[in-house]
Amino acid sequence: MPTKKLEFYLSLKIAFIYFLVGSLYIIFSDILLEKMLPPETVTEFQSYKGLAYVFLTSFLLFFLLKNNLKKINTSEQKYRLLADHSKDLIFLVNPDSEIVYLSPSVKDLLGYEVSEAIGRKKYDFIHPDDLKKVENNINDLLLKGKSKPITYRVKNKANDYIWFESLKELITKNNKVIGIVSSCRDVTERVEANRAIKNYQKSLQNLTTEIFLVEEKQRKEIAANIHDHLSQSLVISKMKLKDLRENTSLKNHVSDIDFINTHITDALENSRKITYDLCPPVLYQLGIIDTMHWFSDKIEEQYHIKVEFTTNIESIQLDDNELISIYRSIQEIVTNSIKHANASLIHIDFKFVDEGLNILVSDNGKGFNVDNILSNKILSNGFGLFTLKERINNLKGTVNITSKPIIETGTIVKIFIYLQ
């Protein structure tokens, strides 16, 4: 039946029922009153007045119902028009997870006809690995009344899976859930693009790690070459000069010999310093804990800054990548404290926990604006905290930096390294 005729006959039916019930009520009420009361107390034409009133109100009721039904149908048509022509997939499920409504866009998105999906369980279309995610999302919706959008894979008619982003809303009646409506959007291209970006990032991280390890290997080789050749040659030269100084026939050249010996001693000391700066032998010989003790003493002696190192472990097993990355990270933080924070006290703490290694480095310097770490200005100046984060991220670790330059409470750097 057309919508306009349905509106007319439904309104007419309700108004007629109202008129019939009202009329019978008035007629029987008058008969009852005539029997119970004396005739002189009953108002003349009372029933006719009541019937006229009922007829008039029935007439008004008919027009009100007709107008309201027209508005309801118009609103319903608008919503259905939006749902039927939406590029997104809109579907409604009942409390048993059966699909009771599906927008026609299912044909374009998944290849199904509406009739092929109506009555089926929605879980029939979801990838098995994503079922738990969807169930948890629905549980949150039922518990909190709202849920966050989620992405999951849905099987199309060709048995391929595409990625949907879905947002769900509860439909309730008398405080009882009667269904869940979902709006889904195909985000396969976005998911695949994000996956490609993550793969590129992973490749870049691997490349960064390889470059770092190659650089450290070269440092190690140069340090070993200086130690094994240059330093040894300088030591031999000092020994030869000592023999020449003791030669009585060269007494007239003692001052020249001493001059040469002094410069060779300085060169030997500088070669040792360069060796330790490039790659401290203690790091690979004794490990990170003993290296931190040596490093703290070295900084105190070189810069006259108090450095405290505390730890709850005597030794820890690390591979070469973890070993050199942790050492360079600590070195970078301490160097920044010395150069930029004007600190007089630096504290380094190592604590081993069940999942890995907690490292805390703090100073009492003037602090800095953490938000500017990634700015182009800081990066162009070679500020090392960006490199620090990249290095720790490559170890699958985390870095947290806290600094308050306004009240000058110093800087705290917390590092956590997951260890297998």
Side-chain angles (χ1 to χ4, degrees):
M1 182 180 291
T3 303
K4 290 185 177 180
K5 288 186 176 181
L6 181 63
E7 294 171 4
F8 178 82
Y9 286 114
L10 182 60
S11 303
L12 183 62
K13 184 178 180 180
I14 295 174
F16 177 74
I17 292 173
Y18 170 79
F19 175 75
L20 182 62
V21 173
S23 299
L24 292 175
Y25 173 77
I26 291 173
I27 292 171
F28 283 106
S29 296
D30 284 352
I31 294 173
L32 182 62
L33 288 173
E34 288 177 358
K35 290 182 178 181
M36 295 178 59
L37 300 174
E40 64 272 10
T41 61
V42 179
T43 305
E44 189 175 1
F45 302 117
Q46 180 176 338
S47 59
Y48 298 106
K49 293 178 181 178
L51 289 173
Y53 173 79
V54 171
F55 176 79
L56 180 60
T57 55
S58 298
F59 186 75
L60 293 174
L61 179 62
F62 167 75
F63 280 101
L64 288 174
L65 286 172
K66 188 174 180 297
N67 289 335
N68 286 332
L69 284 175
K70 184 178 180 180
K71 291 179 181 179
I72 291 172
N73 286 329
T74 302
S75 178
E76 182 181 352
Q77 287 174 4
K78 288 180 180 179
Y79 283 115
R80 184 169 292 275
L81 185 66
L82 289 172
D84 289 346
H85 291 81
S86 173
K87 292 184 178 180
D88 294 343
L89 176 62
I90 301 172
F91 68 95
L92 174 66
V93 298
N94 61 21
D96 294 327
S97 299
E98 292 180 353
I99 300 173
V100 296
Y101 169 79
L102 202 62
S103 62
S105 57
V106 68
K107 176 68 175 178
D108 295 329
L109 293 172
L110 297 176
Y112 296 103
E113 298 292 342
V114 173
S115 58
E116 294 179 288
I118 293 292
R120 294 180 60 180
K121 299 281 189 179
K122 68 176 182 180
Y123 295 112
D124 295 342
F125 302 93
I126 299 174
H127 193 286
D129 294 342
D130 296 333
L131 285 174
K132 191 66 177 178
K133 182 197 296 185
V134 176
E135 290 174 355
N136 290 338
N137 184 254
I138 292 175
N139 290 335
D140 286 342
L141 178 64
L142 295 173
L143 183 64
K144 303 175 182 178
K146 60 181 180 179
S147 64
K148 297 180 180 179
I150 61 168
T151 56
Y152 56 89
R153 288 161 288 183
V154 177
K155 183 170 63 176
N156 61 18
K157 194 170 183 177
N159 289 325
D160 297 323
Y161 284 95
I162 66 173
W163 285 93
F164 269 4
E165 182 181 68
S166 175
L167 181 63
K168 300 175 176 60
E169 292 288 341
L170 288 178
I171 298 179
T172 60
K173 184 177 182 181
N174 298 326
N175 294 326
K176 184 179 180 181
V177 177
I178 61 172
I180 297 176
V181 64
S182 299
S183 175
C184 303
R185 177 170 298 177
D186 184 353
V187 293
T188 304
E189 291 185 3
R190 188 183 75 189
V191 171
E192 291 179 350
N194 289 338
R195 184 181 297 165
I197 291 172
K198 287 182 180 179
N199 289 335
Y200 285 131
Q201 287 177 336
K202 186 176 181 180
S203 299
L204 182 61
Q205 286 182 344
N206 291 336
L207 179 61
T208 304
T209 301
E210 289 297 323
I211 294 173
F212 171 70
L213 292 177
V214 169
E215 180 185 347
E216 289 300 327
K217 183 180 179 181
Q218 291 178 341
R219 284 171 174 262
K220 191 176 180 181
E221 290 176 353
I222 294 172
N225 189 40
I226 292 174
H227 179 269
D228 295 340
H229 299 285
L230 178 60
S231 296
Q232 293 298 327
S233 297
L234 292 172
V235 169
I236 292 172
S237 299
K238 280 180 62 70
M239 294 173 62
K240 185 61 178 177
L241 284 173
K242 182 179 180 182
D243 292 339
L244 291 174
R245 195 178 192 285
E246 293 176 354
N247 189 337
T248 56
S249 63
L250 298 175
K251 286 184 178 180
N252 294 333
H253 300 283
V254 169
S255 59
D256 293 330
I257 293 172
D258 288 342
F259 178 82
I260 296 171
N261 184 66
T262 300
H263 282 275
I264 290 177
T265 300
D266 291 341
L268 182 60
E269 183 62 30
N270 285 330
S271 70
R272 287 173 179 169
K273 182 178 181 299
I274 292 172
T275 299
Y276 275 87
D277 287 341
L278 286 172
C279 181
V282 65
L283 182 62
Y284 293 98
Q285 295 171 1
L286 301 178
I288 190 66
I289 301 301
D290 288 327
T291 300
M292 284 297 101
H293 285 291
W294 165 81
F295 179 72
S296 301
D297 294 339
K298 174 177 173 292
I299 295 299
E300 281 193 350
E301 180 182 352
Q302 184 174 353
Y303 296 101
H304 306 291
I305 294 174
K306 179 67 177 176
V307 180
E308 298 176 344
F309 174 64
T310 57
T311 181
N312 65 346
I313 49 178
E314 295 183 0
S315 63
I316 185 170
Q317 191 69 29
L318 301 170
D319 60 36
D320 286 354
N321 183 25
E322 293 169 336
L323 190 66
I324 193 63
S325 295
I326 292 173
Y327 173 72
R328 292 299 181 200
S329 298
I330 303 301
Q331 186 182 48
E332 193 69 59
I333 298 169
V334 172
T335 300
N336 286 332
S337 295
I338 294 170
K339 290 183 178 180
H340 305 288
N342 296 326
S344 60
L345 173 64
I346 299 173
H347 181 74
I348 306 170
D349 181 69
F350 278 37
K351 279 190 172 59
F352 184 74
V353 296
D354 292 338
E355 295 180 346
L357 180 64
N358 273 322
I359 301 173
L360 185 144
V361 183
S362 60
D363 65 50
N364 64 346
K366 62 182 181 180
F368 64 95
N369 191 334
V370 178
D371 294 334
N372 290 335
I373 293 177
L374 301 180
S375 69
N376 293 329
K377 180 179 179 180
I378 292 180
L379 286 179
S380 64
N381 290 337
F383 202 75
L385 292 182
F386 175 80
T387 306
L388 163 69
K389 285 194 170 186
E390 289 297 303
R391 188 178 292 139
I392 297 303
N393 286 338
N394 288 341
L395 294 179
K396 295 182 174 59
T398 59
V399 181
N400 181 267
I401 303 172
T402 305
S403 187
K404 295 181 173 61
I406 297 177
I407 58 177
E408 297 190 359
T409 57
T411 301
I412 299 174
V413 181
K414 295 180 181 179
I415 300 173
F416 181 78
I417 307 293
Y418 292 95
L419 299 176
Q420 299 294 332

